[in-house]
Amino acid sequence: MSSNTSRRRDVTVADVARAASVSKAQAARALGNYGAVSEDVRERVLAAAEELSYRPNELARSMNTGKSHTIGVVVGDIENPHFGLATRGITDTAKKSGYNVILANTDEERAAEVDAVQVLLDKRVDGLIVAPASSTETDHLQRVYESGRPLVLLDRAARGLPAEVIAADMAGISYDATKYLLDSGHRRIAFISTLKNASPFLDGTQLDSSQISERLEGMLRAFAETKLPFPYDLVRLNAGDADSIRDATRELLLRADPATVVVASDGLIALSALGAIQDLQLSIPKDVSFLMYDDFAWARLTTPPLTVVAQPVYDMGVAAATALIRQIDGRKASGTAPALQARLIKRGSVGPPREAFQPAQAYTAEGPTAALG
């Protein structure tokens, strides 16, 4: 007796050959589009395959051809719209070239990234696009590169690894953005990032992310050229989740010498930081100015619209997939790197600092105290 829950047996090449009245070898050549086969046999085999809803065994095909026509993509946080948009650029480009994409999320954990890379290699992907969780601890990526497997790094470089990197220049645009804030009168500029770091950011601190390092490098250069002291006390790393981001934002704005502008290093951080500012009933930019990295539709719908550092995120995904497919095909680089320039878009969220602003509470070394008014 048959059951609706019984599993249907996969249709094999032998089944297609039998239905088309040809040999298994002829059917395999017609289905794989290789070797000599008559047009009559090809038409019969393809018609039988369609009738039987035949789907090729991709693993077996990859073992025969050496190619799986799949690309492995490893990113830090797929919830972050930055990676979502980059992945869309990758998948759109891959599809046009006949490649499928397998996506892995690491939560910015190096151990999870090591596992994800190994799983994808076990799946026999033709190449890897990786946004490294660490720019320093990259032995696993070094092994991939040395094995000859095509590898492209997305958004972040890896120290000592000569793999192709697709990223916008963050140091330059961070310098421009900081100069804009300084020219607007701000000196107490806060920066919030989820980057994990064992100690506070101080002069000479080596960070584990090329992107965050470049952003802070640009800020430092702008302050140095203006001959102003850099506000190390306003750099907040380790802002891991929404609650910790809100706590960090409140602390930055309720201290005795508060930040007059908050810079969020990505859109997810911006959402939580804006929530904290709203909780404190502060007005942007009257009470505090705001700038974030990346430009998404919602940033133009706030009141006022947010000033942003807009990165060509989709184009970065396209460029990464294009570079990887070129490597897979064995073609050399053209020598002309894609123009991936970030832009500072000035909207209404940056104004002059409110010198007389006194928050409801101020933070001292002992904790929050009532601000003197």
Side-chain angles (χ1 to χ4, degrees):
M1 185 172 68
S2 63
S3 169
N4 290 335
T5 60
S6 61
R7 184 176 179 183
R8 178 181 178 275
R9 183 178 68 84
D10 289 339
V11 177
T12 66
V13 174
D15 295 328
V16 175
R18 199 160 34 247
S21 299
V22 300
S23 70
K24 183 178 177 181
Q26 286 177 305
R29 287 197 294 271
L31 292 169
N33 197 27
Y34 66 89
V37 62
S38 70
E39 193 59 34
D40 174 61
V41 167
R42 187 185 308 280
E43 289 179 0
R44 283 157 53 195
V45 168
L46 295 180
E50 183 175 359
E51 176 69 23
L52 296 173
S53 299
Y54 167 78
R55 292 184 63 82
N57 184 322
E58 294 295 345
L59 179 58
R61 175 182 287 184
S62 69
M63 293 178 69
N64 288 331
T65 64
K67 281 191 175 183
S68 64
H69 290 281
T70 58
I71 290 171
V73 177
V74 182
V75 299
D77 184 3
I78 197 61
E79 187 181 5
N80 188 330
H82 177 93
F83 287 122
L85 189 55
T87 301
R88 181 58 188 264
I90 292 170
T91 55
D92 286 351
T93 305
K95 184 178 180 181
K96 290 176 184 177
S97 296
Y99 286 87
N100 293 311
V101 172
I102 302 176
L103 178 65
N105 184 71
T106 68
D107 287 326
E108 300 289 6
E109 296 287 348
R110 181 183 176 276
E113 179 179 300
V114 172
D115 291 342
V117 167
Q118 189 56 56
V119 167
L120 291 170
L121 293 176
D122 291 343
K123 295 287 186 183
R124 303 178 70 89
V125 295
D126 295 328
L128 289 168
I129 296 173
V130 182
S134 169
S135 292
T136 56
E137 298 180 28
T138 56
D139 290 348
H140 59 300
L141 298 178
Q142 186 74 45
R143 289 192 293 272
V144 172
Y145 179 81
E146 291 173 352
S147 74
R149 187 70 59 101
L151 173 66
V152 171
L153 304 184
L154 174 68
D155 201 47
R156 306 159 183 176
R159 207 167 299 161
L161 180 60
E164 198 164 351
V165 181
I166 302 297
D169 171 24
M170 286 293 98
I173 194 65
S174 174
Y175 169 84
D176 292 342
T178 306
K179 278 286 291 178
Y180 168 61
L181 297 176
L182 291 171
D183 291 344
S184 298
H186 294 279
R187 301 295 181 264
R188 300 289 290 164
I189 302 175
F191 178 83
I192 305 176
S193 169
T194 58
L195 177 67
K196 296 179 178 65
N197 204 62
S199 58
F201 181 74
L202 300 171
D203 185 21
T205 299
Q206 296 294 312
L207 298 178
D208 203 20
S209 166
S210 63
Q211 280 280 303
I212 303 303
S213 292
E214 288 183 9
R215 293 175 194 189
L216 287 166
E217 174 191 329
M219 293 179 70
L220 284 162
R221 183 159 63 92
F223 270 88
E225 287 189 4
T226 318
K227 294 182 169 48
L228 291 168
F230 184 79
Y232 288 99
D233 61 314
L234 299 182
V235 176
R236 291 293 176 272
L237 306 176
N238 303 300
D241 57 21
D243 287 339
S244 64
I245 294 165
R246 283 174 177 259
D247 289 345
T249 306
R250 283 192 288 264
E251 185 270 329
L252 288 164
L253 297 175
L254 296 177
R255 54 193 294 128
D257 189 7
T260 61
V261 56
V262 173
V263 178
S265 68
D266 65 45
L268 281 181
I269 291 174
L271 285 171
S272 296
L274 289 169
I277 291 171
Q278 185 178 56
D279 291 344
L280 293 172
Q281 299 182 351
L282 300 180
S283 174
I284 297 174
K286 179 183 175 183
D287 297 321
V288 59
S289 291
F290 198 89
L291 181 148
M292 82 170 189
Y293 280 82
D294 281 332
D295 186 24
F296 301 109
W298 64 264
R300 298 186 287 277
L301 300 177
T302 60
T303 303
L306 300 182
T307 294
V308 299
V309 171
Q311 300 183 71
V313 183
Y314 179 86
D315 292 341
M316 288 163 58
V318 170
T322 300
L324 188 71
I325 293 168
R326 171 179 46 74
Q327 289 185 30
I328 293 169
D329 292 343
R331 292 180 282 116
K332 292 184 178 180
S334 64
T336 304
L340 297 169
Q341 297 297 322
R343 297 179 299 125
L344 175 64
I345 301 178
K346 302 172 184 176
R347 297 190 180 122
S349 64
V350 173
R354 183 179 175 183
E355 299 294 346
F357 167 62
Q358 290 289 343
Q361 284 186 320
Y363 269 73
T364 68
E366 289 74 32
T369 62
L372 299 177

